[in-house]
Amino acid sequence: MTLKEAGIILIDCDHKTPKAQDSGRPYVGIPQLKDCRITLDGARLISEEDFIHWRRKAKPQEHDVILSRRCNPGETGYVTGDLDIALGQNLVLLRADGETIYPPFLRWLTRGKYWWNQVDSFINVGAVFESLKCADIPKFEILVPSLEEQKLLTACMSSIDDKIALNTQTNQTLEQMAQAIFKSWFVDFDPVQAKMSGEQPEGMDATTASLFPEKLVESELGLIPEGWEVGTLDSHTSMIIDHRGKTPKKLGSDWVEEGYPAISAKNIKSKMIVRPDTIRFLDEVTYKKWMKEPLIKGDIIMTSEAPMGELYFFDGSRDFCLSQRLYGLRANSDVCNSVFLFDWLQTTQAKADMEGRASGSTVLGIKQSELRKVKILTPPKDILDKYSSIVSNLIDMTAKNNAQNISLEALRDTLLPKLLSGEIELGKE
């Protein structure tokens, strides 16, 4: 049965972009679709007038699915009841009429291997971006269980997804705690500012406070604490793995059902592994040929383009193989540690530096030679070690939640096609 035959309506968006404002109503674009969910992080804010205008054709409502036609064609996000948003360019709404498809079930039809098989079948390969045509999307073939089975499947899948969402929310809180310390110590230099004013740094014991100087001096990065230095990514890494535009398939072997997961740039988003259903696997022989230097715990995976600068802190739980548009970075323990390096690469200074060194008329990307020149603040080792000791527990907790999420996602993505096809029937012994 096709999407059209199942009573799923496609609603196109306006093919232009409203003016951004410092405050206003959220306008959701392709970057806001993350792992089949919609996040407002980084969303463009628009005026009330534009908000009303952009919703006259496509007004998202609960249980709709937003689908990307370009950049990440086939990527989706489902609309929850609390979202009041306008729809961005190259996005369309999918809406179930409720007769053949249970509306909350639509989010599960638009993910998994059956969905991506259809995306691959209708993908329009362009010179710059792959895309989907609005005329082709209603032709997607889907598996449609009975309405009763749809309701059971939705309840089962949603319970798994809710746990994943809870772990993700917990990790965001843990990350905010670590980021608050990092910003205070290494961006705002609060301990130094306090000592310059003759005060004891707030919330800091005397021993830790003694590690910080009492003066700020000029540097390539602006004012920094006296005695601190400015280095580069070249001096701060002992290894850079570069598989920017390559795939292990070039070794002549085939993908296998189980083995070493080969991730690419599309699998790294918001410091998480996403779209696990698109990850393919290599056997041990091919993995060792491709990953001449395997990743170890604490290495940092970074996307080189489309988009550039997405990061993932490798926890060592699986032997990832790096495929297209990825760098693997390992901190040089003589001058810094992985925790500090990971946090520094997220700062405004580091992002601006990378963007300034990037190239590409349509898609920005950064070459390894330019990446090595990115400037990095270099505090004394004893301060870095103290910071690492404080936030390591937060990172370990985050890693455990990430590992559990990967297992839950694997369970979800294994169950989904079997439930859709009827290979597994819910509610029956």
Side-chain angles (χ1 to χ4, degrees):
M1 184 180 295
T2 65
L3 288 176
K4 183 177 180 180
E5 290 168 343
I8 296 171
I9 305 163
L10 184 147
I11 305 170
D12 200 3
C13 66
D14 271 325
H15 292 230
K16 53 185 179 179
T17 303
K19 183 179 178 181
Q21 299 189 155
D22 292 334
S23 62
R25 306 295 293 276
Y27 169 91
V28 168
I30 294 171
Q32 278 68 60
L33 303 184
K34 296 180 180 180
D35 196 26
C36 302
R37 296 179 178 273
I38 299 167
T39 173
L40 298 185
D41 293 345
R44 177 184 290 253
L45 299 178
I46 62 176
S47 69
E48 184 68 27
E49 181 181 359
D50 282 343
F51 186 75
I52 294 170
H53 180 79
W54 256 261
R55 282 160 52 97
R56 74 196 187 287
K57 287 173 55 180
K59 183 179 180 180
Q61 64 185 40
E62 187 175 14
H63 305 312
D64 284 353
V65 166
I66 297 177
L67 166 67
S68 172
R69 295 196 303 106
R70 290 187 70 189
C71 295
N72 291 314
E75 187 71 46
T76 60
Y78 72 97
V79 180
T80 55
D82 59 339
L83 278 179
D84 198 17
I85 55 177
L87 204 62
Q89 276 204 77
N90 299 310
L91 298 177
V92 297
L93 285 178
L94 298 179
R95 180 174 297 161
D97 64 12
E99 293 185 12
T100 305
I101 301 297
Y102 176 52
F105 177 66
L106 181 59
R107 62 183 280 205
W108 299 109
L109 277 178
T110 54
R111 65 194 303 174
K113 71 176 185 179
Y114 292 113
W115 175 255
W116 288 106
N117 285 343
Q118 292 300 299
V119 171
D120 290 342
S121 296
F122 286 95
I123 203 79
N124 178 39
V125 180
V128 179
F129 292 112
E130 296 179 332
S131 62
L132 292 169
K133 296 178 180 178
C134 285
D136 287 337
I137 295 168
K139 301 174 186 176
F140 281 22
E141 293 282 345
I142 53 173
L143 297 174
V144 181
S146 68
L147 281 171
E148 186 60 34
E149 289 171 322
Q150 290 177 37
K151 292 176 182 178
L152 289 171
L153 189 151
T154 298
C156 174
M157 292 290 99
S158 297
S159 64
I160 297 174
D161 230 30
D162 288 346
K163 176 56 179 172
I164 294 171
L166 179 60
N167 284 346
T168 301
Q169 185 177 25
T170 300
N171 281 358
Q172 289 171 348
T173 301
L174 294 171
E175 182 184 343
Q176 288 167 2
M177 293 167 63
Q179 284 292 318
I181 300 171
F182 180 87
K183 184 174 184 294
S184 175
W185 288 21
F186 305 116
V187 177
D188 297 334
F189 310 124
D190 288 337
V192 180
Q193 300 278 9
K195 295 176 77 170
M196 289 171 62
S197 301
E199 301 172 356
Q200 171 70 19
E202 186 177 352
M204 181 178 287
D205 62 79
T207 302
T208 303
S210 68
L211 301 175
F212 290 84
E214 300 179 3
K215 184 180 179 181
L216 296 175
V217 297
E218 286 289 347
S219 76
E220 297 173 82
L221 292 173
L223 289 173
I224 65 171
E226 185 178 34
W228 294 20
E229 299 177 356
V230 177
T232 63
L233 191 67
D234 189 45
S235 64
H236 282 59
T237 55
S238 60
M239 179 198 74
I240 298 181
I241 297 175
D242 182 0
H243 291 317
R244 288 185 63 221
K246 300 175 184 177
T247 169
K249 279 283 285 180
K250 289 189 175 182
L251 296 179
S253 61
D254 207 349
W255 304 112
V256 295
E257 287 296 320
E258 295 182 359
Y260 295 83
I263 60 172
S264 63
K266 66 185 176 183
N267 300 120
I268 307 292
K269 203 165 192 177
S270 300
K271 289 165 279 190
M272 296 185 296
I273 300 295
V274 300
R275 297 178 64 180
D277 51 319
T278 66
I279 296 175
R280 292 179 289 188
F281 300 88
L282 297 170
D283 61 28
E284 186 173 5
V285 172
T286 309
Y287 168 78
K288 288 182 176 179
K289 284 182 182 178
W290 187 253
M291 294 292 290
K292 293 182 172 58
E293 182 70 39
L295 295 173
I296 62 173
K297 183 178 180 180
D299 285 350
I300 298 164
I301 302 173
M302 173 185 158
T303 60
S304 63
E305 63 182 25
M308 179 185 72
E310 291 280 355
L311 300 170
Y312 179 74
F313 192 89
F314 183 62
D315 62 8
S317 60
R318 300 193 72 180
D319 291 317
F320 283 135
C321 178
L322 301 187
S323 187
Q324 297 181 71
R325 307 195 311 277
L326 290 177
Y327 289 121
L329 310 176
R330 181 170 300 161
N332 180 352
S333 59
D334 291 337
V335 293
C336 82
N337 56 55
S338 57
V339 176
F340 175 81
L341 181 60
F342 183 70
D343 288 336
W344 178 260
L345 291 173
Q346 299 175 58
T347 61
T348 302
Q349 298 100 311
K351 289 180 179 179
D353 198 353
M354 284 189 280
E355 287 174 4
R357 300 178 188 281
S359 58
S361 57
T362 305
V363 178
L364 280 180
I366 188 165
K367 297 177 181 179
Q368 184 182 147
S369 58
E370 291 300 316
L371 181 63
R372 289 182 178 275
K373 299 175 185 176
V374 172
K375 291 180 174 58
I376 299 180
L377 181 67
T378 313
K381 192 71 164 50
D382 51 2
I383 293 180
L384 292 177
D385 290 343
K386 184 64 178 180
Y387 173 70
S388 180
S389 69
I390 292 173
V391 302
S392 288
N393 286 338
L394 302 178
I395 291 174
D396 287 343
M397 292 168 66
T398 299
K400 288 178 182 178
N401 286 336
N402 280 334
Q404 186 179 55
N405 276 1
I406 290 172
S407 297
L408 289 170
E409 287 162 356
L411 173 63
R412 178 194 66 195
D413 296 334
T414 300
L415 280 176
L416 182 58
K418 293 182 178 182
L419 290 169
L420 285 173
S421 66
E423 182 179 343
I424 295 177
E425 297 183 66
L426 292 171
K428 295 185 178 181
E429 297 182 359

